[in-house]
């Protein structure tokens, strides 16, 4: 084992203790961020005349070649190092000698790990955001292509009123759009640099923390050095936002699983996104949707784990905080896989338009519209509700839908019915007449789609800036 301390100790760390304590086996993920952070730190140290130009150049050169060697596979993360920070420092000293020993001037692993993790989460926010954006593109295309794909909308899992696939998918567009805005908020709030806070009490060197922060693309430097090293709020917020993304994906998956079931047959998941059974030859299972739904649990787990880890930690740094890494990394990997695969699944999924429309027709989803018809003929809504309720009961007994009854029979139930009722309660009319903002009529949906298109395009311009 190669350690960063020794002076105060008379014995080597016990092997099991070392293995329990180490984090290199997982924090090597922070390698690129660790190098970037160290480069910025030493550039600042030189600007402040804390190290010489030659020393800075030697360190930067050394760090760059360590980075290249790791990337090319020439240098491996071997288990004698405690964490990524000690690994990099040891390799640097091996490579450039005494100048390497100056890299850690005015810094502690506490502010260093706080920085690395922030840089990492910041990068991952951007990566996850762009995956969600691709999902939104796919949802919007589905909306554009299904303005008049009728389906029943449900409340209490009972057919309620007719809607369209465009409208239903539009609801998910809103959810994932909010997810992106949540991630953007977190990015903004967390974007302050902790480096230069030292162990927790700052340092006596004249560091220019604002300068280091600006080199690393932060909005500025954090204002309290104790908080800098012990703040993991942004990880909790991030995991909470990821949990919400998963909650949305899970709801969507649940619907797709139901729609894909033998009873519903609203959609057909593409063969490429389905799996078979080892025993039942007829089966085509929606495993991807089920796994996305299932993996939601582990992302929630990461959030609860972090909340619990943090709740009892006194200021400032405590080793408990090392526990932030594995759960966060796992949540990030899970969310990225889920968003990506889910996008492919819905992009290739087929809608059985006939089955959906028939289902909407057969479920009395036009009952509200039939009541509204009577209201337009002068009947108060509450009375109309009662009449249509009786009419539905009558239809259930006759095993038919409202529009299948001849006008004479309708008139027997209520003399306000006329032949124009048939037109008033077709699926098409029911949907087309729903013109309130946010409602499923193609006319309204087109307006919404235009707004969402603009939102996605504007985003591209902003990213290119
Ligand atoms: N591996 C540690 C972590 O992830 C790095 C910080 C160590 N600091 C310390 N004082 N032991 O939190």
């Amino acid at each position: 084992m190669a350690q960063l301390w020794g002076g105060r100790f008379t014995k080597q760390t016990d092997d099991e203790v070392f293995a329990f304590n180490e984090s290199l086996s997982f924090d090597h993920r922070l390698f690129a961020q660790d190098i970037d952070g160290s480069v910025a730190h030493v550039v600042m140290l030189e600007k402040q005349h804390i190290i010489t130009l030659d020393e800075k150049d030697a360190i930067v050169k050394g760090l760059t070649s360590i980075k290249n060697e790791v990337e090319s596979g020439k240098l491996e993360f071997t288990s004698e190092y405690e964490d990524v920070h000690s690994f990099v420092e040891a390799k640097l000293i091996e490579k450039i000698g005494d100048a390497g020993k100056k890299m850690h001037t005015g810094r502690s692993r506490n502010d260093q790990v706080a920085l690395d993790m922030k840089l990492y989460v910041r990068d991952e926010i951007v990566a996850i955001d762009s995956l969600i954006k691709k999902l939104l593109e796919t949802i919007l295309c589905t909306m554009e292509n299904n303005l008049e794909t009728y389906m029943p909308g449900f409340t209490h899992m009972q057919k309620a009123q007719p809607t369209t696939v465009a409208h239903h998918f539009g609801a998910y567009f809103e959810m994932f759009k909010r997810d992106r805005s949540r991630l953007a908020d977190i990015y903004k709030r967390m974007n302050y640099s902790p480096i230069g806070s030292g162990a927790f009490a700052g340092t006596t060197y004249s560091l220019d923390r604002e300068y280091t922060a600006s080199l690393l693309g932060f909005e500025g430097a954090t204002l309290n050095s104790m908080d800098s090293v012990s703040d993991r709020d942004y990880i909790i917020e991030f995991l909470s936002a990821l949990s919400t993304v998963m909650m949305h994906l899970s709801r969507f998956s649940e619907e797709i699983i139901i729609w894909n079931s033998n009873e519903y047959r609203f959609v057909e998941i593409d063969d490429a996104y389905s799996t078979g059974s080892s025993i039942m030859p007829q089966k085509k299972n929606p495993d991807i949707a089920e796994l996305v739904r299932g993996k939601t649990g582990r992302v929630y787990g990461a959030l609860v784990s972090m909340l619990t880890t943090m709740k009892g930690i006194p200021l400032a740094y405590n080793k408990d905080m090392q526990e932030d890494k594995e759960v966060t990394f796992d949540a990030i990997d899970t969310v990225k896989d889920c968003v990506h695969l889910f996008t492919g699944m819905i992009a290739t999924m087929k809608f059985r338009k006939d089955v959906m429309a028939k289902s909407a027709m057969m479920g009395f989803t036009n009952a509200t519209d039939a009541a509204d018809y009577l209201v337009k003929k002068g009947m108060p809504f509450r009375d109309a509700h009662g009449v249509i309720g009786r009419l539905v009961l009558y239809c259930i007994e006759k095993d038919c839908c409202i529009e299948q009854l001849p006008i004479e029979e309708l008139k027997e139930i209520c003399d306000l019915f006329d032949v124009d009722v048939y037109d008033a309660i077709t699926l098409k009319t029911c949907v087309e007449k729903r013109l309130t903002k946010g409602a499923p009529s193609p006319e309204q949906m087109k307006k919404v789609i235009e707004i969402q298109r603009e939102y996605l395009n504007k985003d591209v311009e902003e990213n290119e800036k």
Side-chain angles (χ1 to χ4, degrees):
M1 61 191 85
Q3 289 173 328
L4 291 174
W5 62 83
R8 189 200 182 286
F9 287 76
T10 53
K11 262 195 198 168
Q12 276 278 324
T13 314
D14 177 86
D15 283 349
E16 283 180 348
V17 170
F18 183 83
F20 187 66
N21 194 46
E22 70 86 31
S23 54
L24 182 63
S25 54
F26 47 88
D27 70 12
H28 62 79
R29 275 218 204 197
L30 302 175
F31 173 71
Q33 287 76 12
D34 196 74
I35 299 270
D36 293 348
S38 289
V39 168
H41 179 65
V42 297
V43 167
M44 180 279 296
L45 287 180
E46 189 277 325
K47 181 180 92 70
Q48 297 301 99
H49 308 296
I50 299 166
I51 59 172
T52 67
L53 186 62
D54 286 349
E55 287 163 344
K56 186 261 304 182
D57 286 344
I59 296 172
V60 172
K61 210 169 142 215
L63 288 173
T64 312
S65 79
I66 291 171
K67 194 173 184 181
N68 292 338
E69 283 173 28
V70 165
E71 277 165 7
S72 69
K74 199 172 148 202
L75 186 60
E76 279 176 21
F77 300 111
T78 43
S79 60
E80 68 261 40
Y81 302 96
E82 181 189 335
D83 54 25
V84 69
H85 326 295
S86 24
F87 169 83
V88 171
E89 188 172 322
K91 293 295 163 193
L92 182 72
I93 295 168
E94 249 173 53
K95 213 175 241 311
I96 68 165
D98 279 352
K101 296 181 183 164
K102 297 200 171 177
M103 173 172 72
H104 210 55
T105 314
R107 159 177 106 163
S108 151
R109 274 187 302 164
N110 299 351
D111 56 344
Q112 187 180 357
V113 75
L115 171 69
D116 292 3
M117 200 58 186
K118 264 195 172 176
L119 291 173
Y120 186 83
V121 168
R122 222 176 54 169
D123 289 349
E124 292 299 334
I125 286 179
V126 175
I128 291 172
D129 179 70
S130 85
L131 286 171
I132 300 178
K133 194 173 168 209
K134 284 195 191 118
L135 170 61
L136 284 177
E137 293 278 2
T138 303
I139 294 177
L140 197 58
C141 283
T142 309
M143 289 165 71
E144 283 164 342
N145 295 331
N146 290 284
L147 283 168
E148 286 174 62
T149 306
Y150 303 118
M151 65 178 288
F154 297 82
T155 63
H156 313 272
M157 281 295 284
Q158 307 278 317
K159 291 179 195 177
Q161 290 175 341
T163 185
T164 64
V165 165
H167 190 236
H168 200 114
F169 270 54
Y172 285 101
F173 193 101
E174 294 298 322
M175 296 181 223
F176 294 116
K177 189 176 171 184
R178 284 196 295 274
D179 286 329
R180 293 188 73 207
S181 123
R182 247 184 293 277
L183 288 172
D185 285 347
I186 295 165
Y187 188 108
K188 230 191 258 167
R189 198 167 21 261
M190 68 171 280
N191 200 20
Y192 291 87
S193 166
I195 194 71
S197 297
F200 76 87
T203 95
T204 51
Y205 298 97
S206 63
L207 305 185
D208 185 347
R209 291 191 55 221
E210 289 297 336
Y211 180 68
T212 324
S214 74
L215 290 177
L216 293 166
F218 285 104
E219 197 54 42
T222 50
L223 290 179
N224 182 292
S225 56
M226 227 178 201
D227 179 56
S228 303
V229 294
S230 38
D231 167 33
R232 299 292 183 273
D233 290 4
Y234 70 95
I235 295 180
I236 291 171
E237 282 192 58
F238 177 54
L239 292 174
S240 161
L242 295 189
S243 295
T244 310
V245 171
M246 290 305 294
M247 180 267 287
H248 292 151
L249 282 179
S250 185
R251 291 180 76 176
F252 210 165
S253 295
E254 170 78 5
E255 298 211 272
I256 288 169
I257 292 162
I258 293 170
W259 294 350
N260 187 66
S261 68
N262 303 138
E263 279 66 26
Y264 275 71
R265 297 180 59 253
F266 280 10
V267 297
E268 181 161 3
I269 299 176
D270 196 76
D271 279 4
Y273 286 87
S274 307
T275 51
S277 156
S278 60
I279 173 170
M280 296 164 283
Q282 85 282 14
K283 291 290 274 294
K284 193 176 136 186
N285 298 328
D287 284 26
I288 301 309
E290 289 170 7
L291 271 176
V292 169
R293 187 177 61 183
K295 283 175 190 289
T296 304
R298 65 200 274 174
V299 179
Y300 290 5
L303 171 63
V304 174
S305 167
M306 269 314 284
L307 281 166
T308 314
T309 296
M310 292 306 293
K311 78 180 262 295
I313 304 186
L315 290 175
Y317 178 85
N318 294 267
K319 193 68 178 243
D320 318 40
M321 289 175 185
Q322 181 167 288
E323 286 295 307
D324 63 358
K325 305 209 172 44
E326 284 157 294
V327 290
T328 306
F329 296 159
D330 184 71
I332 289 169
D333 293 347
T334 305
V335 168
K336 283 165 106 174
D337 279 355
C338 288
V339 175
H340 175 64
L341 283 160
F342 189 90
T343 303
M345 183 181 71
I346 61 164
T348 51
M349 189 170 79
K350 301 250 169 357
F351 296 98
R352 293 185 204 267
K353 298 185 182 187
D354 51 333
V355 179
M356 287 177 138
K358 195 165 163 215
S359 166
M361 241 137 53
M362 295 313 292
F364 301 107
T365 59
N366 55 2
T368 315
D369 295 78
D372 290 341
Y373 169 86
L374 294 178
V375 169
K376 277 179 207 132
K377 299 271 169 173
M379 188 181 274
F381 179 77
R382 193 48 58 212
D383 295 340
H385 186 284
V387 170
I388 301 299
R390 284 195 301 280
L391 177 58
V392 166
L393 194 59
Y394 181 77
C395 288
I396 292 172
E397 275 158 15
K398 292 198 71 172
D399 194 20
C400 66
C401 49
I402 301 172
E403 56 274 34
Q404 283 170 338
L405 290 177
I407 188 65
E408 299 74 39
E409 266 176 79
L410 285 173
K411 272 186 185 295
E412 258 169 52
I413 287 170
C414 175
D415 58 8
L416 288 178
F417 279 123
D418 221 327
V419 282
D420 57 350
V421 68
Y422 297 108
D423 248 5
I425 60 170
T426 62
L427 267 186
K428 194 169 158 63
T429 317
C430 292
V431 171
E432 272 174 8
K433 289 267 166 67
R434 290 187 147 69
L435 285 160
T436 38
K437 189 170 184 180
S441 68
E443 194 180 321
Q444 267 308 314
M445 284 307 306
K446 276 184 200 154
K447 288 185 190 158
V448 169
I449 286 171
E450 207 175 302
I451 293 169
Q452 310 294 35
R453 257 286 151 239
E454 215 173 286
Y455 154 78
L456 289 178
N457 289 345
K458 184 177 82 212
D459 236 48
V460 175
E461 283 159 29
E462 269 166 20
N463 288 343
E464 278 166 4
K465 256 189 237 163

